[in-house]
């Protein structure tokens, strides 16, 4: 049996369908989804989960209508404005993964400011995946290793799993123990492809905006019932 997971990763899915069911614009679903983030962060603080990683915006999400993309960026900006001081107070350290340079400059600045302000915190490592794609992350790591090898700075035979991991966006962050996906879809959707190799998966039919503290605690209980063998016996 397992104990409380050290690292929980979440694919926050179903914002659009939640809004559609209520006759609301999709952005209303994303706005309600921001409240679910607050509930999960609090639940992590209360239960001792040390790492929380959220798939907030994928590389593929840029293909959505400009109105939705701009609205999501504004939500991110507002979230960082409103939550920065609270994160500092609560011992939360903010990280990001993904191609941050692709975000609007105001979001990049707010992220940098919040990361600097929370840099000495250790209670909860809170990572936002933004303009993130697992395949791109792996390709970027491979390119950086290949460049070093071609320049004679790295022996190709010395490329171990640890060396490879040190080139990923998640360097220094342990692999997720538990992946939660809302809205019932059974997919990884290009999220943390390397890191999820041995992660336990919990899928709930609930849409992300309705995912509450009880649902989070139920996912932790489900995780505790799993026997993790990492390919062994
Ligand atoms: C997936 O639902 C969700 C997203 C693409 C965005 C997630 C963003 C938030 C929860 C809020 C903004 C983030 C921060 C950090 C404040 P979907 O729209 O794909 O749902 P659907 O499959 O029902 O259409």
């Amino acid at each position: 049996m397992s104990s409380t997971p050290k690292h929980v990763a979440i694919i926050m899915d179903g914002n659009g369908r939640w809004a559609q069911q209520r006759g609301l614009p999709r952005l209303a679903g994303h706005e309600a989804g921001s409240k679910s983030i607050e509930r999960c962060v609090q639940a992590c603080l209360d239960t001792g989960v040390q790492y929380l990683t959220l798939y907030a915006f994928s590389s593929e999400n840029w293909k959505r209508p400009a109105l939705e993309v701009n609205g999501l960026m504004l939500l991110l900006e507002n979230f960082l404005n409103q939550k920065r001081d609270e994160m500092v107070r609560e011992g939360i350290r903010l990280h990001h993964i993904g191609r941050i340079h692709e975000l609007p400059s105001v979001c990049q600045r707010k992220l940098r400011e919040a990361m600097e302000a929370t840099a000495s915190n250790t209670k909860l490592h809170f990572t936002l995946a933004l303009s993130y794609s697992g395949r791109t992350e792996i390709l970027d790591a491979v390119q950086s290793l290949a460049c070093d090898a071609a320049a004679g700075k790295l022996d190709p035979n010395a490329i171990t799993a640890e060396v490879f991991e040190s080139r990923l966006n998640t360097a220094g962050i342990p692999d997720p123990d538990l992946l939660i996906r809302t809205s019932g879809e059974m997919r990884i959707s290009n999220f943390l492809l390397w890191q999820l190799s041995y992660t336990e998966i919990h899928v709930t039919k609930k849409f992300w905006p309705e995912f509450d503290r009880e649902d989070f605690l139920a996912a932790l209980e489900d995780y505790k019932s799993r026997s993790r063998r990492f390919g062994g016996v």
Side-chain angles (χ1 to χ4, degrees), residues 2 6 14 17 24 39 49 52-53 73 89 105 111 127 131 139 146-147 154 158 163 175 182 196 205 211 213 215 221:
S2 310
K6 189 170 179 181
R17 278 165 284 172
L24 298 168
R39 291 194 290 268
V49 170
L52 176 66
T53 301
M73 294 302 143
R89 267 198 318 276
S105 53
L111 272 169
T127 302
S131 198
L139 280 174
C147 284
L154 177 70
V163 170
D175 288 345
T182 55
L196 292 175
K205 286 214 159 69
F211 188 84
R213 182 184 176 88
D215 299 312
E221 282 310 307

Side-chain angles (χ1 to χ4, degrees), residues 197-212:
S197 298
Y198 286 100
T199 301
E200 297 295 325
I201 301 179
H202 173 91
V203 175
T204 168
K205 286 214 159 69
K206 277 206 176 174
F207 294 139
W208 177 247
E210 51 196 3
F211 188 84
D212 61 19

